[in-house]
Structures are given as structure tokens and as C-alpha cells.
């Protein structure tokens, strides 16, 4: 039985979040609370088990506010909804707006509002995932997108159980973002430069930015896209097709 919510998934009875430490006389026992981050990791692992058991590819999108996460999701859903079942968890501080936007494109979506917190944490994603399952009436998404709260700092410290972490930077934000926010790039698998249609109007040297990002994380897969003109979107869709295929091929 899953000890996060009692959802019945097996092998979730991990130990509770305290540990006992004895002093050198062996007489005293002190209880040390595990940090919030450790608790987040523990529940993220349970999320990951849920996703693996059900063959779901989970993708966590992180970026500054307004980089184009929801717009890219809208384009992705439009393009791939006949090939894949797509579910979305939309993280925001307030409002249902992003969930409404992706639902309008045909995806199942649950809005997760943090009420002030600048990032999503694994327990809220866990709840949201079960709410999404209910909304989907027993159907299972092939791809679960988790759009994090707009913020390039805090979300990179909180693993949610995702298989793929994507960091996005839009052209108007400037070329210095990888160097200034290295953790987001070091912990991601994919880097998407968005709003490429605006390149003629900004000093944004794509090759230099790619090089800086790769110097932080040589394994980054990089896409340059515009949701407005469609540039680069087919490469992104092919990458998703490939990742879903790989995920379905993984025996868990
Ligand atoms: N020119 C241009 N504008 C874009 C592109 N993609 C998104 N936008 C615009 O950028 C603004 C923000 O886009 P969103 O998709 O809402 O950004 P977001 O990252 O989801 O924002 P938050 O959820 O608030 O963090 C909107 O006005 C979009 O129309 C693009 O490729 N080119
Ligand atoms: Mg959004």
C-alpha cells in the first residue's frame, strides 16, 4: 500500500522520515528529522514507480515565467494528440489558466496551485497525478508533462520523479541564463531555446549559448524552436516519439 495516499500501488512502504542516532556512550538516542528535501526525494521515487509501473514518460518543464512552456505544450498536444494520450499537470502559484489552455487543445489536465511556493514538490505532483488518473477515467497517459512554476532557480532543486527534465530559455531573456543559473542546466536532460522568431531583434548568439550550456552539461540535447513560426518543432516531436518508444520498451 502506498503510504503517500493509500493508492494501492505495491512496494511503497518505505521507512518513515525520522532516524535514530546514538551518542558514543550508547545511552542517549536522539531523533533527527530528515530534511524536507529528503522527504521530497522519497515521494518523488514513489511517483517514479507509479510512472514506471504504468509505462508513462514523465517530463518536467522548467523555465522563467513566460518563456513559452504552455505555448509549446499547446503546439505539442495539437501535433501529437492522435498518436499519444497526453496528460498535463500545470504548476502555478495561482489560477487555472494554463490547465484551461491545454485542455482546450485536447489534453487531460490538472492545475496544481502552490498558493505562493515558487516550485512544485513531489507530494503535490503525487496528488495531482491521481486526480489526473480520475479525470482520464482509467486511461493512462503515454506522456505526462509537468509544467513547473515559472522560476529558473528553485524547481531545479526538487526532483518530482520525472524521466526527462527540460529547461527552456526564450530569446528575449538573454544569452547569459545558462551561466547565471547553472543548476537548472546541470540537472536537465534537454535545453530548449524558445521564441527563435525573435532572434533578429535581440543580441542572442545561439551558438555561444549552446556552447555555454554544453560546458555545464555535455549531455544536454538542445532544440531551437519557435512556437509562432513552427521552426524546430518537428525535431522536438520526433524526440518525444523516440522517448516514448524507448520508455515502452523498458521492462519494469
Ligand atoms: N514571439 C513568440 N512569442 C511566444 C512564443 N512562444 C510563446 N510566446 C508568447 O510568450 C508569452 C508567454 O507564453 P507562455 O506559453 O504562457 O509562457 P509560460 O512559460 O507558460 O509562462 P508561465 O506559465 O507564466 O511561466 C505569450 O504571450 C506567448 O504568446 C514564440 O515562439 N514566439
Ligand atoms: Mg505556463
Amino acid at each position: 500500500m502506498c503510504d503517500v495516499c493509500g493508492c494501492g500501488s505495491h512496494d511503497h512502504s518505505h521507512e518513515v522520515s525520522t532516524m535514530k542516532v546514538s551518542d558514543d556512550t550508547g545511552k542517549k538516542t536522539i531523533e533527527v528529522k530528515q530534511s524536507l528535501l529528503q522527504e521530497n526525494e522519497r515521494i518523488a521515487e514513489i511517483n517514479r514507480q507509479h510512472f514506471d509501473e504504468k509505462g508513462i514518460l514523465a517530463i518536467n518543464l522548467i523555465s522563467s515565467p513566460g518563456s513559452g512552456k504552455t505555448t509549446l505544450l499547446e503546439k505539442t498536444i495539437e501535433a501529437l494528440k492522435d498518436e499519444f494520450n497526453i496528460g498535463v499537470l500545470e504548476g502555478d502559484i495561482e489560477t487555472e489558466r494554463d490547465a484551461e489552455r491545454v485542455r482546450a487543445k485536447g489534453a487531460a489536465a490538472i492545475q496544481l496551485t502552490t498558493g505562493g511556493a515558487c516550485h512544485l514538490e513531489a507530494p503535490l505532483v503525487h496528488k495531482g497525478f491521481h486526480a489526473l488518473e480520475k479525470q482520464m477515467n482509467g486511461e493512462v497517459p503515454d506522456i505526462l508533462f509537468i509544467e513547473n512554476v515559472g522560476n529558473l532557480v528553485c524547481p531545479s532543486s526538487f526532483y518530482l520523479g520525472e524521466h526527462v527534465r527540460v529547461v527552456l530559455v526564450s530569446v528575449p531573456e538573454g544569452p547569459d541564463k545558462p551561466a547565471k543559473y547553472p543548476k537548472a542546466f546541470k540537472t536537465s536532460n534537454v535545453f530548449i531555446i524558445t521564441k527563435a522568431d525573435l532572434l533578429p531583434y535581440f543580441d542572442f548568439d545561439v551558438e555561444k549559448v549552446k556552447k555555454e550550456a554544453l560546458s555545464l552539461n555535455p549531455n544536454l540535447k538542445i532544440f531551437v524552436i519557435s512556437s509562432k513560426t513552427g521552426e524546430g518543432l518537428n525535431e522536438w516531436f520526433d524526440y518525444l516519439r523516440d522517448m516514448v518508444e524507448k520508455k515502452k520498451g523498458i521492462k519494469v
Side-chain angles (χ1 to χ4, degrees):
M1 176 74 74
C2 167
D3 67 358
V4 179
C5 64
C7 65
S9 186
H10 59 75
D11 195 26
H12 287 166
S13 51
H14 306 256
E15 287 306 307
V16 290
S17 57
T18 56
M19 58 183 177
K20 291 187 172 176
V21 179
S22 298
D23 69 4
D24 55 2
T25 66
K27 285 181 187 159
K28 254 197 254 166
T29 302
I30 351 166
E31 281 202 341
V32 182
K33 288 237 183 272
Q34 282 185 332
S35 72
L36 272 175
L37 263 176
Q38 280 174 304
E39 182 61 3
N40 182 76
E41 287 281 313
R42 186 180 78 83
I43 295 174
E45 283 305 334
I46 295 171
N47 290 346
R48 175 69 170 244
Q49 271 180 33
H50 280 322
F51 304 149
D52 285 343
E53 280 168 11
K54 294 165 194 274
I56 298 166
L57 173 70
I59 301 182
N60 181 7
L61 302 172
I62 68 177
S63 82
S64 309
S67 298
K69 299 179 293 301
T70 312
T71 310
L72 178 60
L73 288 182
E74 290 175 311
K75 295 291 171 189
T76 304
I77 294 159
E78 272 174 8
L80 299 183
K81 70 176 173 210
D82 294 335
E83 280 174 66
F84 303 120
N85 239 332
I86 299 178
V88 185
L89 299 179
E90 279 291 354
D92 274 300
I93 290 173
E94 290 293 348
T95 85
E96 180 91 12
R97 289 182 191 184
D98 282 2
E100 283 164 2
R101 283 172 63 185
V102 295
R103 273 188 214 122
K105 297 294 175 187
I110 295 292
Q111 183 74 48
L112 306 174
T113 42
T114 64
C118 57
H119 60 274
L120 289 177
E121 292 182 15
L124 188 58
V125 167
H126 191 94
K127 265 197 193 162
F129 175 65
H130 286 317
L132 186 74
E133 280 185 310
K134 264 196 200 148
Q135 192 184 99
M136 294 181 79
N137 284 323
E139 281 193 44
V140 175
D142 301 299
I143 309 177
L144 173 68
F145 288 108
I146 306 168
E147 180 181 334
N148 221 308
V149 179
N151 181 336
L152 205 46
V153 185
C154 310
S156 44
S157 295
F158 289 83
Y159 173 51
L160 303 175
E162 71 268 21
H163 302 98
V164 178
R165 184 175 290 186
V166 179
V167 58
L168 303 89
V169 172
S170 65
V171 166
E173 289 169 63
D176 54 1
K177 294 300 164 291
K180 286 166 89 171
Y181 302 91
K183 191 163 186 186
F185 296 82
K186 284 181 179 168
T187 63
S188 289
N189 311 94
V190 173
F191 171 29
I192 305 184
I193 297 170
T194 61
K195 309 192 188 180
D197 55 289
L198 299 178
L199 279 168
Y201 312 103
F202 289 86
D203 291 328
F204 191 103
D205 182 337
V206 170
E207 289 314 311
K208 206 169 152 200
V209 174
K210 280 184 179 176
K211 213 171 145 191
E212 263 188 20
L214 288 170
S215 73
L216 291 165
N217 178 356
N219 297 319
L220 275 175
K221 177 129 188 85
I222 303 180
F223 298 92
V224 181
I225 66 133
S226 165
S227 294
K228 202 177 168 85
T229 64
E231 176 187 343
L233 289 182
N234 283 333
E235 285 84 348
W236 164 244
F237 301 151
D238 283 344
Y239 168 78
L240 291 173
R241 289 184 181 104
D242 191 45
M243 291 304 289
V244 171
E245 213 168 278
K246 280 190 182 135
K247 180 77 197 125
K248 300 281 179 203
I250 294 170
K251 261 198 142 176
V252 290

